[in-house]
Structure formats: C-alpha cells, structure tokens
Amino acid sequence: MVNKEFPKGFLWGTAAAAAQYEGAAQMDGRGLSIWDVFANTPGQILDGSNPSIADDFYHTYKEDIRRMKEIGIQSFRFSFAWSRVFPEGKGAINQKGLDFYKRLVEELLKNDIVPNATLYHWDLPYELERLGGWLNRDCVQWFGDYAELMIRTFGGQIPLWATVNEPIATYVGYALGGFAPGRKLEKFGRQANHNLLLSHGEAVRRFREIAPKDAKVGIVIDIWNHWPLRPDHAEDQALALRENEKTYRSYLNPIFNGKYTDYLLDYMEKNDCMPDIRPGDLEAIHQPLDFFGLNCYNRVLDCADAAVDIRSAGGNYLDNGSELYPKAIYDAIHILNDEFKIGIPIYITENGTSNCNEAVVDGKVHDQQRIEYVRSFLEWIKKAIDEGADIRGYYLWSFLDNWEWSAGYTSRFGLTHVDYETQQRIFKDSAYFYQEVIRQNKLLE
Ligand code: LGS
C-alpha cells in the first residue's frame, strides 16, 4: 500500500504579503511604498484599484488569525512593510508601525501559529525610490539597517526568516515596467537585481551576527521552468535555455555557486546591460543559508514561432487560462537538489491558483479547480519527499483573497472569499479541503 502520510512535523501554512493584505496605507505614520505610487498611475493596475485598503488586515488580523486557527493552519508566512517601520526607508523609526508587528506576532504565537517572516516582498519605501531605489548601491546599507532592526526586535520570536521574496519582481519593475516602480530598461533590471542580491547578502551577514542560534534564514525564489514547446526544434530549445538563464538561474547561480554563468555574462555584455559588479560582490552574495523557500505555480512552454498555439501540445488547462502542470514542483525540487545541490531543507513557500470570479451561492464558494490544483501539487511534493527530498513545509497562497499587484482585485487566490465592499469573509470549499489535509497530515483522494 502506498503511504500517503506526510512526515511528522511537516508544517502546513498559508502565505501573504503586507502590501496585499494590510491596507491602512496612510495609518499610524506609514510611509508610501513604490506600489502605492505605481497603483495611482493611470493604466498600471487592471481594475484601476490600489492597495490602500486591501483586506484591511491591519485592523482585522485578530479575527483572521482566529479563522486560520479554525482551519488548522500551523504557520503563517507574512512580510513586513518596510515603510511602516521606516516611513522614509531609513533614519527615523515609526514606533507605531513596529508595534503593529509586535501585536501580530504575539497574536500568532498566542494561537500556536508559527510566524514565518519575509523582510522584502516588493514594497520598497517610495522615499528610497526617489534616491534611485535598487539602482542606488546605498540600498545595501538601507536594507541592512532595516533588516537589523527587525531581527533585533523579533529574532527571538520568529523562527523562519526570508530576506527577499522572488527577486525577479525587481527585474520586472526596473526592466519591463509591469511592476512598481515601472522603469523600463534591461540595464536597470540587471543592476537592480545585482544590488538586491547584495542586499540579501548583507541581511544574511547581519542575521548571523545578531539572530538567536535557532532562528533560520533563507531566501524565497520562484522557479518557473521553461520548456521548449517543440523539443526537437533548436529555436525552441535555445529560447527555453535563454529564459531559464535570464530568470531563476540568474539568482540561483550567484547565491549557491558564487558566480554569474558565462552564458548570462555574455548575454549582458552583448545587450549592453552589464551591471556594476565590484570585487568581493559575489562572495558577499554567496553565503550559506539555512533553508530555501520555493515558490512554484507552473512551468512555461516556449515557442520561437509566435504563430503556433501553445495549447497545441495538449495538456490540462484551468479556467484562468493557465496550464495545470503539477510536475513543475517536482522538477523544481530536482533542479535545486540535483543540479544546484543546495544541501539545505526546502519549504514550499507559495503554491496556489486564482480565479477572476468565484460566485458566492447560498454562502458557499465551490472552487473545485483550486482543490484539484492543490491536491495534484501535493502529490508531486509527496513523491519528491518519498524519494528523499528534505521538504519541511507547504504554504498555500493564500488564506484570503487579496490585492494581486497589477491584477488588482480581479485575481482571487484565497481559501477565503473576501467581499471587498464589506470585508466579509467566507470559507471556500478549498478551505475545508485544506483543513482535512492538515488534520490527517496526508494526501487525500
Ligand atoms: O501575489 C503573489 C502570488 C500569487 O501568484 C505573491 O505576492 C507573489 O510572490 C507570487 O508571484 N504570486 C503569484 N505568482 C503566480 C502568478 C500566476 C499567474 C497566473 C495567471 C493565470 C492566467
């Protein structure tokens, strides 16, 4: 008989980010972030919304934590809003902002929910962006000082820390313009990424100096592995290779191997986007970590011929238009363990799926596709564990529907439906499914 149980002590959680949950954007001295400003630029957010209210979690956290408890959530991954703590990104501390996180962490601990904190989940203080943001090398010092304050304040209470969530978002914000701050130059993207990695290294260095011994630090990276749509076409193969090198591998290589690959260096040289890399930088980035946070939602199929329909290769598709390919997470785990030989435990820090409209009928939301999605990803995670991968936990994105960056409120990822007019919460069917998974600590049929 196949053993369907997850290892004892496997941590079941949900993940969130400050800008997507908290709201209270002008409350108690919080400074603006680049996302507040970006969202108020016409045309940037699909539904023209901004994150100033979101889930109003700043005010509802107690009730939401009570609801997490009801589902059996064992750990809550959240991020600190840098501009709540340092309204100008540096200099004067906003005590009221820091106090909010003290209340939040206390409430989680009171409910036996393990806090898992991310220092940077995309919401750079706007005052720092005015100084060049991640393009200004001083960001290493700014981020280091901010990280130090948070580690000193919460190091004894929070066992799991991530420096940065998905560094690629910074590339999207500086090279492609699709995310805040909305800059559009490949060279900016590469420079911002390099400085962000340096800042990650600085936060790890400070962590080692001041954090209690049993607190762990890692980084969260998303792996969207690119595959050639037509495996026998050299152009598709080349495209997939290039995309992989330019995306997640451009972070994994410096962090775990202490170098940028020749492939990437050559690309940056030829495309006039080589960042300012100084002696000692790669050593500063390449530091031992305690765990890896893997975000994985899907794979990407690449085709060099734009006229070919990607779906022509077959496969399963969800109502939201994306492919359901749960093996993506198994492949990602293999990339980390076999290819990069990271040698540290992995937490799945995000996985989940969205819908535009999820009808509430008689007080219920029948989100069968989310249940299928989560079930199928868990199967592949379990297979990896059975084959020896050291995976310690799973964080479903997300407990609540929330403000989904450029998609605004149109993309619902929650186990809980949120009515943004009234802030009323309703558990979807998937919340009860997850409750049962957690209760039994095993794969369900
Ligand atoms: O909100 C973010 C989640 C949701 O989906 C979170 O803050 C990020 O860290 C992360 O990138 N997230 C995420 N990524 C996957 C986007 C999937 C888009 C599916 C499009 C369907 C047509």
Side-chain angles (χ1 to χ4, degrees):
M1 222 190 67
V2 190
N3 168 20
K4 302 222 168 217
E5 280 182 23
F6 278 82
K8 208 162 164 279
F10 190 83
L11 207 52
W12 296 101
T14 55
Q20 298 177 275
Y21 264 56
E22 288 178 6
Q26 311 281 340
M27 192 84 47
D28 292 340
R30 177 184 175 280
L32 292 177
S33 87
I34 51 174
W35 275 96
D36 297 311
V37 176
F38 185 69
N40 286 321
T41 313
Q44 298 294 7
I45 311 296
L46 199 58
D47 57 3
S49 66
N50 65 55
S52 62
I53 299 179
D55 288 328
D56 200 28
F57 187 70
Y58 191 76
H59 296 111
T60 63
Y61 69 96
K62 276 195 183 170
E63 176 59 13
D64 287 324
I65 290 172
R66 191 197 62 69
R67 294 178 70 89
M68 285 181 209
K69 193 73 193 157
E70 193 178 332
I71 295 303
I73 305 301
Q74 299 165 345
S75 182
F76 181 54
R77 174 174 177 248
F78 64 96
S79 72
F80 299 117
W82 185 345
S83 68
R84 210 179 269 296
V85 178
F86 284 107
E88 299 191 354
K90 60 190 172 84
I93 298 171
N94 177 32
Q95 190 57 43
K96 284 187 173 166
L98 201 56
D99 287 346
F100 167 66
Y101 295 113
K102 287 187 179 164
R103 292 195 298 276
L104 173 63
V105 171
E106 289 292 337
E107 194 65 22
L108 290 167
L109 293 174
K110 214 166 83 189
N111 284 281
D112 290 321
I113 296 177
V114 178
N116 174 336
T118 299
L119 287 164
Y120 184 68
H121 198 128
W122 308 2
D123 47 354
L124 185 75
Y126 180 64
E127 288 305 316
L128 297 183
E129 176 60 22
R130 280 156 48 97
L131 302 177
W134 294 111
L135 297 176
N136 184 336
R137 211 177 144 101
D138 290 347
C139 64
V140 177
Q141 183 73 31
W142 304 332
F143 187 64
D145 291 349
Y146 156 64
E148 182 164 337
L149 173 69
M150 303 318 277
I151 299 162
R152 281 194 193 284
T153 310
F154 296 107
Q157 289 176 300
I158 300 181
L160 294 165
W161 292 73
T163 54
V164 169
N165 175 76
E166 297 191 0
I168 198 161
T170 302
Y171 173 81
V172 176
Y174 283 79
L176 308 179
F179 279 177
R183 302 199 194 212
K184 281 189 194 161
L185 199 64
E186 180 70 8
K187 194 174 170 68
F188 288 163
R190 295 290 150 201
Q191 185 65 61
N193 266 178
H194 182 70
N195 290 347
L196 183 70
L197 289 175
L198 278 175
S199 305
H200 151 80
E202 176 66 8
V204 175
R205 191 183 69 75
R206 303 231 194 172
F207 194 92
R208 298 296 178 214
E209 271 179 23
I210 58 179
K213 257 206 330 288
D214 39 0
K216 311 274 186 225
V217 66
I219 187 168
V220 173
I221 295 178
D222 50 322
I223 296 188
W224 294 75
N225 200 31
H226 289 254
W227 291 81
L229 182 76
R230 303 164 300 180
D232 47 346
H233 275 61
E235 300 90 336
D236 289 10
Q237 280 172 13
L239 188 58
L241 175 73
R242 193 185 78 201
E243 289 304 314
N244 282 331
E245 284 286 336
K246 283 179 62 185
T247 55
Y248 67 89
R249 284 168 200 257
S250 72
Y251 312 110
L252 294 182
N253 276 307
I255 292 171
F256 292 101
N257 295 330
K259 60 174 195 199
Y260 290 115
T261 56
D262 289 344
Y263 189 100
L264 186 68
L265 289 170
D266 186 54
Y267 164 83
M268 295 193 293
E269 194 66 61
K270 287 193 175 125
N271 290 276
D272 192 26
C273 58
M274 185 64 79
D276 171 18
I277 305 171
R278 302 188 188 166
D281 280 4
L282 271 308
E283 289 75 10
I285 294 169
H286 176 45
Q287 294 190 49
L289 298 176
D290 303 319
F291 72 91
F292 186 89
L294 171 63
N295 288 1
C296 183
Y297 289 84
N298 201 353
R299 68 169 171 181
V300 187
L301 288 168
D302 287 325
C303 184
D305 180 351
V308 175
D309 177 7
I310 298 282
R311 292 190 183 206
S312 63
N316 293 323
Y317 280 81
L318 299 166
D319 290 347
N320 68 15
S322 60
E323 190 191 7
L324 172 62
Y325 187 72
K327 182 169 177 285
I329 206 155
Y330 177 84
D331 294 338
I333 292 163
H334 274 287
I335 290 168
L336 293 171
N337 287 338
D338 302 348
E339 200 183 326
F340 285 88
K341 302 195 179 357
I342 61 171
I344 47 175
I346 297 172
Y347 286 85
I348 309 302
T349 35
E350 282 183 33
N351 173 243
T353 187
S354 67
N355 267 307
C356 289
N357 285 310
E358 291 182 318
V360 181
V361 182
D362 296 333
K364 294 192 169 14
V365 179
H366 302 302
D367 55 341
Q368 195 55 33
Q369 282 204 347
R370 180 168 293 106
I371 294 175
E372 287 313 320
Y373 178 100
V374 171
R375 188 207 314 269
S376 60
F377 272 78
L378 289 178
E379 264 167 22
W380 284 98
I381 294 168
K382 178 68 167 64
K383 181 171 159 62
I385 294 174
D386 290 346
E387 292 170 4
D390 184 1
I391 303 174
R392 303 281 176 95
Y394 173 86
Y395 291 83
L396 198 152
W397 184 279
S398 183
F399 187 67
L400 302 174
D401 288 341
N402 60 80
W403 191 73
E404 181 53 33
W405 310 112
S406 305
Y409 294 107
T410 67
S411 189
R412 294 179 175 272
F413 270 91
L415 294 173
T416 307
H417 182 274
V418 175
D419 178 334
Y420 294 111
E421 297 292 314
T422 62
Q423 290 296 338
Q424 199 202 358
R425 275 81 162 129
I426 294 173
F427 285 136
K428 303 178 192 175
D429 289 355
S430 58
Y432 297 111
F433 165 78
Y434 198 43
Q435 181 180 46
E436 205 45 34
V437 171
I438 299 172
R439 198 179 68 76
Q440 299 193 33
N441 193 40
K442 71 183 217 196
L443 287 174
L444 300 180
E445 292 307 320

